[in-house]
Amino acid sequence: ALKPFTYALAFEEGETPATVLPDVPSEFPTGEEGVLYRPRNYDQHFRGPLLARHALAGSQNVPAVALVASVGVPNVLRFLRSLGFSTLDKTGAYYGLGLTLGDAEVRLDELVAAYSAFARGGTVVAPTMIRQPVPSASHVRMSPRTAFWISSILSDDDARAYAFGRGSSLEFPFQVAVKTGTSQAYH
């Protein structure tokens, strides 16, 4: 569920939905000497070079890990914290490249608030549980262009069809942005 934020940061740093990402068997160094991280996609298939649009829409793991390796785990972590994720209290080295794949616990209310920034043109509004007479503070955390691109990708049935098929439960009779999410234990 955190992949879109990795893509958003990369888009803020100059990448686009047309950026080509590798979806090939890959190895990445870890914090442990001699230990390599070999990410796999959920379906265990590699598709070769993918446009960022298709990689995110199809929720592919390998391109997301390549992207977080490119922009840097500490930068993704800072970006996630700026979006309001309060549970991310460890270092980038602790989470590693799996941060974008769900190797960190986040609160549902904070996840919803962060996702709403895509619909709000990049503005994050702090969640509240009780209606308050004064609106919650809001902060612009990404450009309207990036927010639009992520929303467009997550609402593109054609871009995710290769991974989820046509007529899947991710397709609705109206336009809606959707994203799958899997925890470390496949929950």
Side-chain angles (χ1 to χ4, degrees):
L2 297 180
K3 285 178 197 161
F5 304 108
T6 299
Y7 282 81
L9 179 59
F11 292 167
E12 289 292 287
E13 293 185 355
E15 303 296 344
T16 73
T19 297
V20 177
L21 298 173
D23 188 14
V24 297
S26 304
E27 296 179 339
F28 298 90
T30 66
E32 296 179 51
E33 189 174 328
V35 177
L36 297 174
Y37 176 45
R38 295 176 182 92
R40 298 269 183 237
N41 293 318
Y42 186 76
D43 64 4
Q44 301 299 313
H45 291 96
F46 297 102
R47 291 174 175 84
L50 283 175
L51 296 177
R53 175 176 207 80
H54 293 136
L56 176 56
S59 196
Q60 300 305 305
N61 292 340
V62 177
V65 170
L67 197 56
V68 78
S70 173
V71 298
V73 174
N75 294 329
V76 173
L77 189 56
R78 270 191 296 280
F79 184 60
L80 291 169
R81 288 175 180 152
S82 80
L83 292 168
F85 290 103
S86 66
T87 57
L88 302 176
D89 56 358
K90 307 280 190 295
T91 66
Y94 175 85
Y95 296 114
L97 296 171
L99 173 64
T100 195
L101 303 182
D103 281 2
E105 292 183 9
V106 296
R107 291 177 24 180
L108 181 58
D109 63 327
E110 294 172 351
L111 186 63
V112 170
Y115 263 88
S116 73
F118 298 133
R120 289 188 167 113
T123 300
V124 176
V125 177
T128 57
M129 300 304 143
I130 299 172
R131 188 176 183 133
Q132 299 176 354
V134 178
S136 296
S138 65
H139 304 281
V140 176
R141 295 296 182 222
M142 69 189 83
S143 68
R145 178 194 65 200
T146 291
F148 171 80
W149 280 345
I150 298 292
S151 295
S152 173
I153 291 167
L154 296 181
S155 62
D156 188 343
D157 292 332
D158 292 330
R160 74 172 145 264
Y162 78 94
F164 297 105
R166 294 310 305 237
S168 75
S169 60
L170 300 178
E171 287 190 33
F172 291 82
F174 50 87
Q175 189 172 10
V176 61
V178 299
K179 178 66 185 81
T180 59
T182 305
S183 73
Q184 213 173 18
Y186 296 98
H187 291 109

